[in-house]
Amino acid sequence: MRLAWILGVFCFGVCADEPGAARQQELENMLKHDCGSCHGLPPKGGLGPSLMPDALAGKNDALLFDAIRNGRAGTAMPSWRPFLNDAEIRWMVGRLRQR
Ligand code: HEC
C-alpha cells in the first residue's frame, strides 16, 4: 500500500507535467476549432495574429503562455484559464512552435 502511494506521488510530480495522449488529442482539436476560429487554420492569422512558428520565433514562451492563460485585456483574445491548466498551456505553446 505504502509503495503504491509513493509511486502515486512520484507519478503526480512527473506525469502531471505533460497532458496524456487523449488530452493531447482534445487540445489539438481545440487549437484547430477554438483557436482557429480567430487565428485561422492553419493559424496564419485572422482576427488574431499569426501563430505560425515563424511569427512566434521572436517571442518567448512566457509571453505566449501569458497571452493564452490570461488573455489580452482590451482585445478579442480571451483567457483560457477556465479550460486549460498550466501544463496544458505549456504543451500548446510547444505545439504551436512545431507546426
Ligand atoms: C475570439 C478570438 C480569439 C480566440 C478564440 C483566440 N484568440 Fe488568441 N488572440 C486573439 C487576438 C485578437 C490576439 C491579439 C491580442 C493583442 O492584440 O495583443 C490574440 C493573441 C494571441 C497570442 C499572442 C500572440 C502574440 O503574437 O503575442 C497567442 C499566443 C494566442 N492568441 C493564442 C491563442 C490560442 C492558443 C487560442 C486557443 C486556445 C486562442 N489564441 C484563441 C484572438 C483570439
Side-chain angles (χ1 to χ4, degrees), residues 31 34-35 37-39 47-49 51 59 63-64 67-68 72 75-78 80 92:
L31 276 173
D34 297 275
C35 316
S37 65
C38 284
H39 291 276
L47 175 61
L51 300 179
K59 300 176 177 172
L63 178 111
L64 303 174
I68 300 172
R72 289 264 169 86
T75 77
M77 177 63 183
W80 294 88
M92 270 196 174

Side-chain angles (χ1 to χ4, degrees), residues 11 13 24 38 49 56 58-59 61 64 66 69 75 81 84 89 91 99:
C11 188
Q24 286 189 14
C38 284
L56 299 183
K59 300 176 177 172
D61 285 355
L64 303 174
D66 181 71
R69 187 171 195 265
T75 77
R81 195 164 22 176
L84 300 170
I89 296 173
W91 185 87
R99 260 158 217 280

Side-chain angles (χ1 to χ4, degrees), residues 78-94:
S79 163
W80 294 88
R81 195 164 22 176
F83 311 104
L84 300 170
N85 66 32
D86 289 359
E88 291 166 347
I89 296 173
R90 273 197 297 276
W91 185 87
M92 270 196 174
V93 170

